[in-house]
Amino acid sequence: MGYETVIGLEVHVELNTATKIFCSCSTAFGAKPNTQICPVCAGLPGALPVLNGKVLEYAIKTGLALDCEIAEVTAFDRKNYFYPDNPQNYQISQLYRPICTKGRMTIDTKEGQRTVGIHDIHMEEDAGKLVHDKGLSCVDLNRSGVPLLEIVTEADMRSGEEAVAFLEKLRSRIRYLGVSDCKIQEGSMRADVNLSVRPAGSGVYGTRTEMKNLSSYTAVREAVAYESERQIKLIEAGGSVIRETRRFDEKKKESISMRGKEGAEDYRYFPDPDLRSIYISAEHIEEIRNSLPEFAEERTARFIRDYCLSEKEASLLCREREMAELFERTVSLGAEAKSAANWFMGETLRLLAVRERDAGDIRFSAENLYKLIKLIKDGVINNTVAKEVFERMFDEDTDPEAYVEQKGLRQSSDEDEIRKLCLKAVNENPEAVEDYFGGKDRALGFLVGCVMKAGKGKVEPKTVRAVFGQLLEDMKE
Ligand code: ADP
Ligand code: MG
Ligand code: ZN
């Protein structure tokens, strides 16, 4: 019998506000433990929280970007649990009146577009961090009170691919909004995967398990593959799935039972009496709606139209706001769109992957990319050298013009020089010359390659070919 996998996601996104959600402590990363705390985020009795207006604004922005209804009245609740990283013994979150509900986002799948419902988005505070060292466990509360959004989807995804497509698009939207950098690896975006299986065609959901805190797209794909198979095997063998929380071991690629699933009742949620309900006016919502950016899809369509790029090129460029904007600035300086696009889709993406960085870390300026493109166009350097220059520029935003001069990278169109190199190649490779005269055109390519190598990429292939043409013609006679 065929089975269908059913997936719903709970995604935590850390907001990039300067201060915490209920106090004015800094959220800056990397400070010494417990240097960014106050009575509120350290959970001292009697301290009173006050909502950071930016968090509310960012939550509404995110809700509008996901087509949600924004609540007229929203309020905070206490989620009670005991853990050493949680100084109040409750987390301030939202259950009864979340800020956003009933949203949706479409994703592209193999079978066409699919709409994933957004059940709700709520605001909450992060917990502190436990640091285990030399037999001691210490608590660092710098993270305590850092604002988070939790985005809960409906159980509308049917494969690991779809879950990843959703996460990628969500990440793109949130980064376009500028409310979070959504770095999965660094934990500013984390996904919990809820998964069940059911016989294909069945109208009811099976029992689900939840896998928490997956920290990469690969982990999401692998977790879905492993857990679907585990559940199917269990059912086929006559067993049944238990509702529980599981941990996915990213090394062993298997999920392990952690604890029985706790329901909302286990947390004894109740409205937080220290925080007032918040009334949101229609005008305020409209004001925020008007500030929404052009997202990747619309921008892709515009790039295809305005810059004559292919669908694939445009969508790749627009996946990251930083890249799309840098591209447009480079073109506005006078670079040809196609050449500029190629630098992003080729070397930029390659180096981002090699250096394990993301588009937010791009350091080179549009001015310098424009200069580089111009150096190639004017024949000052060839593509091989340009790649070397680009790499420097990518790492240090080096001025390509200055770098080319300083390193003496101008390509030589000095024919005498090239002629010498060509003669040397001919003398050293008599078989290739023979092959060439025997009608094998590839042999010429080989000889040109030898000269390019000897000239350390500084000679222009066009000139080399021309010189060889002449030289071999002469030899024939
Ligand atoms: P809880 O409050 O217990 O965490 P929720 O109703 O908030 O449960 O759902 C949490 C997530 O689980 C949501 O993303 C939802 O879409 C997903 N989900 C609910 N039921 C199923 C199911 N049978 N299979 C897969 N995912 C499910
Ligand atoms: Mg939940
Ligand atoms: Zn504080």
Side-chain angles (χ1 to χ4, degrees), residues 408-424:
L409 294 174
R410 279 174 170 276
Q411 70 184 350
S412 141
S413 47
D414 179 347
E415 289 207 14
D416 282 344
E417 178 96 356
I418 292 175
R419 219 182 147 75
K420 263 187 228 153
L421 292 175
C422 289
L423 266 172
K424 188 160 171 272

Side-chain angles (χ1 to χ4, degrees), residues 107-224:
I107 53 169
D108 293 320
T109 75
K110 271 184 270 166
E111 290 90 38
Q113 289 209 319
R114 179 190 285 286
T115 299
V116 176
I118 307 292
H119 181 274
D120 73 87
I121 303 178
H122 51 268
M123 301 176 276
E124 59 187 31
E125 55 180 345
D126 206 347
K129 196 172 86 181
L130 293 183
V131 187
H132 308 283
D133 190 26
K134 300 190 187 96
L136 280 177
S137 288
C138 303
V139 187
D140 175 9
L141 293 179
N142 284 352
R143 308 310 299 156
S144 171
V146 165
L148 302 175
L149 289 184
E150 180 173 336
I151 300 156
V152 183
T153 76
E154 300 293 355
D156 285 340
M157 286 150 281
R158 296 291 174 265
S159 67
E161 286 313 311
E162 291 184 12
V164 169
F166 177 85
L167 289 170
E168 281 180 336
K169 187 158 174 188
L170 179 68
R171 177 172 183 275
S172 164
R173 293 231 146 178
I174 291 177
R175 286 174 43 89
Y176 264 85
L177 290 172
V179 303
S180 168
D181 55 15
C182 288
K183 290 191 178 171
I184 289 205
Q185 261 83 5
E186 292 175 22
S188 58
M189 178 173 174
R190 291 175 301 225
D192 302 344
V193 173
N194 295 273
L195 185 151
S196 61
V197 296
R198 62 179 174 186
S202 157
V204 287
Y205 287 153
T207 304
R208 73 176 187 270
T209 61
E210 178 173 1
M211 290 176 287
K212 285 209 176 285
N213 284 335
L214 294 168
S215 66
S216 70
Y217 295 143
T218 312
V220 170
R221 269 191 213 100
E222 290 173 348
V224 168

Side-chain angles (χ1 to χ4, degrees), residues 234-276:
L234 195 62
I235 294 168
E236 293 273 86
S240 51
V241 175
I242 308 167
R243 173 105 182 257
E244 63 184 355
T245 303
R246 301 177 69 87
R247 187 174 66 81
F248 184 68
D249 185 320
E250 296 185 11
K251 285 211 187 74
K252 291 191 188 143
K253 307 198 188 311
E254 58 189 43
S255 69
I256 302 127
S257 176
M258 273 167 75
R259 54 173 190 253
K261 168 74 188 165
E262 50 292 275
E265 59 288 354
D266 295 325
Y267 289 115
R268 298 163 15 255
Y269 277 95
F270 63 88
D272 192 314
D274 287 344
L275 284 154
R276 317 170 52 146

Side-chain angles (χ1 to χ4, degrees), residues 350-364:
R350 183 182 74 79
L351 287 169
L352 284 175
V354 173
R355 306 275 193 273
E356 293 184 1
R357 299 187 165 280
D358 65 27
D361 304 318
I362 290 179
R363 264 177 272 177
F364 63 85

Side-chain angles (χ1 to χ4, degrees), residues 302-309 327-328 331-332 337-338:
R302 182 165 64 78
F303 276 20
I304 296 173
R305 236 181 17 247
D306 291 2
Y307 301 113
C308 297
L309 297 175
F327 163 81
E328 283 210 284
V331 173
S332 75
K338 204 80 179 175

Side-chain angles (χ1 to χ4, degrees), residues 359-410:
D361 304 318
I362 290 179
R363 264 177 272 177
F364 63 85
S365 63
E367 286 71 21
N368 280 339
L369 179 57
Y370 169 65
K371 282 184 188 174
L372 180 69
I373 292 171
K374 194 158 178 309
L375 286 171
I376 305 164
K377 193 162 167 241
D378 295 346
V380 179
I381 56 175
N382 63 29
N383 275 319
T384 319
V385 171
K387 279 192 184 164
E388 178 194 329
V389 179
F390 181 82
E391 192 157 341
R392 278 304 286 261
M393 198 179 98
F394 180 88
D395 288 329
E396 291 161 30
D397 196 23
T398 314
D399 179 329
E401 284 171 357
Y403 185 73
V404 164
E405 289 316 320
Q406 184 199 331
K407 295 273 169 186
L409 294 174
R410 279 174 170 276

